[in-house]
Amino acid sequence: MNAPSDLKIKLTSFSHGGGCGCKIAPGVLAEILKNSTGFPVPKELMVGIETADDAAVYKLNDEQALIATTDFFMPIVDDPYDFGRIAATNAISDVYAMGGTPIMALALVGMPINQLPVEVIGRIIQGGESICAEAGIPIAGGHTIDSVEPIYGLVVLGLVHPSKVKRNADARAGDKLILGKPLGVGILSAALKKDALDDAGYAAMIANTTKLNKPGRALSDMASVHALTDVTGFGLLGHLLELARGAGLTARLSMQSIPLLPNVQRLAEEGYVTGASGRNWAGYGHDVALSDAITPSQQMLLTDPQTSGGLLVSCDPSAVDEVLALFRREGFEHAAVIGEMVAGPARIDVAA
């Protein structure tokens, strides 16, 4: 059943897609950007667009670098407060994925003013404010427009020491791969839209998507953590491919080691998948080798768009216990080693 809302508005009915499933498919995005012209890059810009990293990083001085990112999307759930919480958590995650500490946010709000009560819009914004308060940052401004579909998100700024920036391109051969959150958000959202998600499933979905990726701050202090990103709209395979391509290495995954949200395997087998999952595979499947034992539903799990997904860590094997202990202290009980990086072409091999 759908989650209860005190304002009785079905937000997902206003949008053609929801959450990070709204992202333009990777193949289409590559086509759009292939003819982008170059531009002067200042020496202070430590991370830009070259490796499809999670955020831009600009060196301010020898002790500080500024992290800048933005993220916004249409509703993935019907409850306005939960929608605001999920969108804010997702946007702030990109700062943590660079190893940074968020310092402030700006709100991005686009709403169909003539169709949504102002109380509903207010609840969306309050949800975002609650997550920013949890992260210890203010919403210091923003921008609003009257739009056809509801859109909410944040611009987020953060700080990190220049020597402790964690890019997605610095994995090393021999590294172990650790995933911080279980997969399956897109599948749960597909079930929700078709009134096939029970209260326990909704609660698991909300708990996963509103959990701030705070371990990223401490991971920045670990020299043995070589690369870091978060798993969002392109699915686990898509974001892992960015690591593999950036480092020029092959990523090996073990399907049985990947943590999953409750019942998502069954729901995927029953056909509750998003259109984004298929678009993701079409965009990058040529760089993925799946074992013959991998089922179609498991392939859908690997490409499932994750709204506010987990951190993906590439670290030296000697650091695995320390990284897992950090996740456990922060309440990420599902964090697990899911594979490794090895010498070879930039691709992913998935074993059952």
Side-chain angles (χ1 to χ4, degrees):
M1 66 183 68
N2 283 339
S5 170
D6 55 344
L7 294 167
K8 307 302 181 186
I9 295 290
K10 194 173 179 65
L11 279 179
T12 54
S13 68
F14 287 85
S15 57
H16 75 281
C20 286
C22 298
K23 280 189 174 182
I24 294 176
V28 177
L29 182 60
E31 184 69 18
I32 292 171
L33 297 178
K34 71 177 184 180
N35 294 321
S36 294
T37 57
F39 51 87
V41 177
K43 61 180 176 45
E44 293 86 0
L45 186 64
M46 300 178 62
V47 181
I49 64 173
E50 60 281 347
T51 58
D53 221 318
D54 297 289
V57 183
Y58 189 94
K59 184 177 179 180
L60 299 175
N61 52 55
D62 291 342
E63 300 295 323
Q64 294 177 311
L66 180 69
I67 302 171
T69 185
T70 185
D71 220 315
F72 51 89
F73 45 62
M74 283 81 83
I76 187 174
V77 294
D78 293 319
D79 184 275
Y81 190 76
D82 284 345
F83 170 42
R85 294 169 66 210
I86 293 168
T89 307
N90 181 74
I92 296 170
S93 180
D94 285 340
V95 171
Y96 293 132
M98 302 304 299
T101 299
I103 57 172
M104 76 171 184
L106 306 173
L108 301 173
V109 183
M111 296 289 157
I113 299 299
N114 292 330
Q115 299 181 65
L116 281 183
V118 293
E119 293 85 359
V120 170
I121 299 171
R123 287 291 284 168
I124 294 170
I125 293 171
Q126 289 165 15
E129 290 172 343
S130 73
I131 291 297
C132 287
E134 185 179 338
I137 63 173
I139 296 181
H143 186 65
T144 60
I145 61 168
D146 185 358
S147 65
V148 175
E149 297 178 282
I151 297 170
Y152 179 71
L154 301 174
V155 173
V156 188
L157 301 179
L159 291 174
V160 65
H161 192 285
S163 68
K164 296 181 179 180
V165 174
K166 298 298 182 183
R167 303 196 313 155
N168 69 354
D170 296 330
R172 302 178 188 178
D175 277 1
K176 296 296 184 182
L177 295 167
I178 296 174
L179 180 62
K181 289 183 183 181
L183 300 182
V185 172
I187 288 164
L188 294 182
S189 69
L192 177 67
K193 281 191 173 183
K194 296 180 180 179
D195 294 316
L197 188 65
D198 60 20
D199 290 344
Y202 185 81
M205 177 182 171
I206 297 301
N208 203 65
T209 54
T210 59
K211 193 170 190 59
L212 288 163
N213 281 320
K214 291 181 179 181
R217 298 177 301 187
L219 290 170
S220 72
D221 292 327
M222 299 182 189
S224 51
V225 171
H226 301 139
L228 186 62
T229 190
D230 61 355
V231 179
T232 55
F234 297 152
L236 174 61
L237 292 183
H239 295 284
L240 181 53
L241 262 175
E242 291 172 346
L243 262 72
R245 290 167 177 165
L249 297 171
T250 295
R252 289 180 178 167
L253 286 182
S254 168
M255 186 70 211
Q256 66 178 356
S257 300
I258 297 172
L260 302 176
L261 285 163
N263 296 320
V264 295
Q265 180 76 59
R266 174 182 60 80
L267 289 168
E269 291 170 355
E270 293 174 358
Y272 294 104
V273 296
T274 69
S277 184
R279 292 191 295 271
N280 282 342
W281 180 255
Y284 55 63
H286 55 277
D287 285 331
V288 180
L290 298 177
S291 162
D292 290 341
I294 298 296
T295 66
S297 62
Q298 288 176 324
Q299 177 182 317
M300 291 297 181
L301 282 163
L302 292 169
T303 58
D304 187 50
Q306 301 306 290
T307 300
S308 190
L311 294 175
L312 180 60
V313 184
S314 181
C315 67
D316 189 272
S318 65
V320 166
D321 289 345
E322 184 181 5
V323 172
L324 288 176
L326 168 62
F327 275 112
R328 301 284 187 267
R329 288 196 303 271
E330 294 279 1
F332 291 79
E333 66 275 8
H334 296 289
V337 178
I338 63 170
E340 62 183 348
M341 304 297 291
V342 299
R347 56 176 291 145
I348 299 176
D349 296 334
V350 185

